[in-house]
Amino acid sequence: MSKTFKDIMDEARSEIKELSAAEVQNLLERDGKHIVLDVREREEYREGHLDGAVSLPRGFLEIKVESTIPDKTAPVIAYCAGGTRSLLAAKVMKEMGYQNVISMSGGYSAWKTAGYKWVQDRQFTQEQATRYSRHFLLPEVGEEGQAKLLDAKVLLVGAGGLGSPAAYYLGAAGVGTLGIVDNDVVDLSNLQRQILHTNDRIGKPKTESAKQTIQALNPDVRVVPYQEKLTSQNIMHIIKDYDIIVDGCDNFPTRYLVNDACFLAKKPNVHGSIFQFEGQATVFYPGKGPCYRCLYPEPPPPDMAPSCQEAGVLGVLPGLIGVIQALETIKLIIGKGDPLVGKLLCFNTLGMDINTLTLKRDPACPLCGEKPTIHNLIDYEEFCNLRTAHAA
Ligand SMILES: [Zn+2]
């Protein structure tokens, strides 16, 4: 005998416990253990939902519920717009082995009418919904992660070999504000690796060229150019507006300067460096891992520290390392995965050897150690013996 809709609903009601909006409100106030499951469509969820509710549209319930709620003994409160879809959803979940599923009668409309708390996620434009659709599909990013990316402020030190790919991908990912510090102009010899810049911009400031390329890629990104050299005088003022610093500089004085400033300002420093065919990346996170000085207390003698200009570099290498820096930055922004804090990724491109070394904080570090001797920024040219070297 075939069943009518009424039969199905009666059957569900006999099996599933229903609570009114007021009862759910009481229950949620008393203990924070319940998982609140919103089984409406994404569009309905987007317009407003219970605080902390997990979105799983009814149409995907059977397919995705076991990955969304792996513990079948967990207490769940399901709701929809009016109480029908959630009742049927709860019945299906019960059949799948969920032991403690309640349906909220009257649904979201009763909840809202009663004046209980609801929240609305960031509203994306149609263009953004399409642009970031592949992020939305990843549960680790989703709309929540994308909103974090759009709100994030990242400062790139250098728009060169490392800064170019890092900034390009951060821009593509929708990092809302990208500050770029570089006092250089585009040179023909840069174009073998510095992919933000183009032939027709030779002689133009790199910050301007970077801004032009990134905004052509993604108009959501605000690019803030700093056409100046980073110094002990200006760095604290510049970095104070940013959440994360990406160090793509090519010289030791700036590297120590960025390290010390990030430590003093308590900002994560996503570090990358390259030499000929080898590259390294790590995250120096004040309070969570070592700093650059823990690894290299002293700079190398100037004649032992050749730049790309002197030593050469395979063009694709800074691409690899800069992209790793972008990836680490995104992980820090969305708060997912294990960042390279206390780990040094070493990339040797000729043998294709990739190693991760564990880094420890040095208790004797003059900056982040137990008895620090550095409390302010210093003269980094002098520290790296560049003054005397130039004079000689
Ligand atoms: Zn240190």
Side-chain angles (χ1 to χ4, degrees), residues 290-294 361-362 365-369:
C291 78
Y292 186 71
R293 284 181 186 269
C294 294
R361 231 184 86 210
D362 179 4
C365 173
L367 181 69
C368 76

Side-chain angles (χ1 to χ4, degrees), residues 126-139:
Q126 194 51 54
E127 189 184 319
Q128 288 174 323
T130 308
R131 179 184 294 276
Y132 306 119
S133 58
R134 302 306 189 270
H135 275 169
F136 290 178
L137 291 170
L138 298 170

